[in-house]
Amino acid sequence: MTKLILVRHGQSQWNLENRFTGWVDVDLTKAGVAEAKKAGKLIAKEDIQFDAAFTSYQKRAIKTLWLALEGIDQMYLPVTKDWHLNERHYGDLTGLNKQETRDKHGDEQVHIWRRSFDVPPPQIDMEHEFHPSKEVKYQHIDPKELPTGESLKITTERVLPYYKNQIVPFLKAGSNLIISAHGNSLRALMKEIFDVADGDIPGFEFPTGNPLLIDLDSETLKPNSAKYLDKKRAKELPEIKG
């Protein structure tokens, strides 16, 4: 059996402002820092010795990981950062206030953009201020590979090959891992691990800063059990299939 912790970053500034964030590299709020520190304390109670950690290129996830590792006194762990674990790219919705977007486009359209599996938001072009190629950390990547507006389906198609190629070998070797990422990149992992149907996965929420502990069979990578460590802030989990 191997143990996997999935943790969504603590509250970010644009979470607080109710804006579509996506690939914009916003920082944690004071509340988000507190959530990340609490995540570390909760994980420490499980007394797990981890072997490695993974996170995205985005500071809210990276800082959450740092604070959690500090809380379990395992800051020496090797950490791999990769853009494939980034949040979903919200395209032309990026930066917009969610309520103002509802007022402009209607509740139904915004709900489709946010909670459908395969309907992407309006795309952006290379000239847009939020095109990833404008950031130094993505300049080594072919701009054609960078997203310009993703559905959850497209996000899943980005995340899962990375998971299968780079993370699964650790799990199959029996390594205990912690992954600090984002609501939608973690949904992609949840979909794979729990075998969740396309139409169901958008309905599962990852609370900020609340670690999800999954006990996996290291041969099949099927979950034996799963629980959020902060029970008061827990969200519904997919059924574990036999």
Side-chain angles (χ1 to χ4, degrees):
M1 185 180 297
T2 185
K3 295 185 183 295
L4 173 64
I5 290 274
L6 303 180
V7 59
R8 182 184 176 193
H9 61 81
Q11 183 193 63
S12 74
Q13 186 59 41
W14 280 15
N15 289 148
L16 179 63
E17 296 174 14
N18 198 32
R19 299 168 74 181
F20 289 100
T21 309
W23 278 43
V24 178
D25 207 10
V26 299
D27 210 342
L28 297 175
T29 62
K30 289 183 179 179
V33 169
E35 287 177 345
K37 290 180 177 179
K38 184 176 181 180
K41 292 178 180 178
L42 291 167
I43 297 169
K45 292 179 180 179
E46 299 297 319
D47 195 26
I48 302 168
Q49 179 60 54
F50 292 94
D51 298 289
F54 292 83
T55 190
S56 70
Y57 268 15
Q58 299 181 281
K59 69 177 74 173
R60 57 192 186 272
I62 295 169
K63 284 189 176 181
T64 297
L65 179 61
W66 285 351
L67 293 167
L69 292 181
E70 183 177 39
I72 61 175
D73 195 24
Q74 295 185 41
M75 295 191 76
Y76 56 84
L77 285 178
V79 175
T80 300
K81 304 181 186 77
D82 198 281
W83 66 273
H84 290 91
L85 293 175
N86 278 16
E87 177 58 294
R88 169 186 176 187
H89 196 295
Y90 278 104
D92 203 38
L93 302 181
T94 302
L96 300 180
N97 176 276
K98 293 175 184 176
Q99 186 56 53
E100 291 175 351
T101 309
R102 292 188 191 97
D103 294 341
K104 180 178 180 179
H105 295 283
D107 288 344
E108 183 177 355
Q109 180 60 65
V110 174
H111 181 77
I112 290 171
W113 282 330
R114 293 190 66 198
R115 289 294 180 256
S116 67
F117 180 68
D118 57 2
V119 179
Q123 303 290 296
I124 59 173
D125 59 30
M126 289 281 290
E127 303 306 314
H128 196 283
E129 63 175 316
F130 292 135
H131 194 283
S133 64
K134 296 187 180 297
E135 293 196 58
V136 171
K137 58 178 165 289
Y138 303 119
Q139 288 183 358
H140 66 289
I141 302 166
D142 185 341
K144 294 178 182 177
E145 289 187 44
L146 296 171
T148 56
E150 297 176 302
S151 62
L152 180 53
K153 180 177 184 291
I154 296 170
T155 306
T156 298
E157 291 168 349
R158 160 166 60 84
V159 172
L160 289 189
Y162 179 79
Y163 169 72
K164 292 175 181 177
N165 293 327
Q166 303 299 325
I167 298 176
V168 162
F170 283 89
L171 296 174
K172 288 195 170 181
S175 298
N176 296 324
L177 303 181
I178 179 169
I179 302 174
S180 175
H182 308 265
N184 285 294
S185 52
L186 292 176
R187 275 193 185 96
L189 297 180
M190 176 182 278
K191 175 175 169 54
E192 174 71 13
I193 292 168
F194 292 89
D195 191 23
V196 182
D198 293 355
D200 294 335
I201 194 60
F204 288 98
E205 295 282 348
F206 270 86
T208 53
N210 190 352
L212 173 59
L213 171 59
I214 308 171
D215 285 325
L216 290 170
D217 184 303
S218 56
E219 291 186 7
T220 65
L221 297 187
K222 298 299 182 183
N224 296 309
S225 65
K227 64 178 180 180
Y228 281 109
L229 299 186
D230 186 347
K231 295 180 181 179
K232 292 182 180 179
R233 298 179 59 236
K235 296 291 186 180
E236 180 184 4
L237 288 170
E239 179 184 356
I240 294 177
K241 299 177 181 180

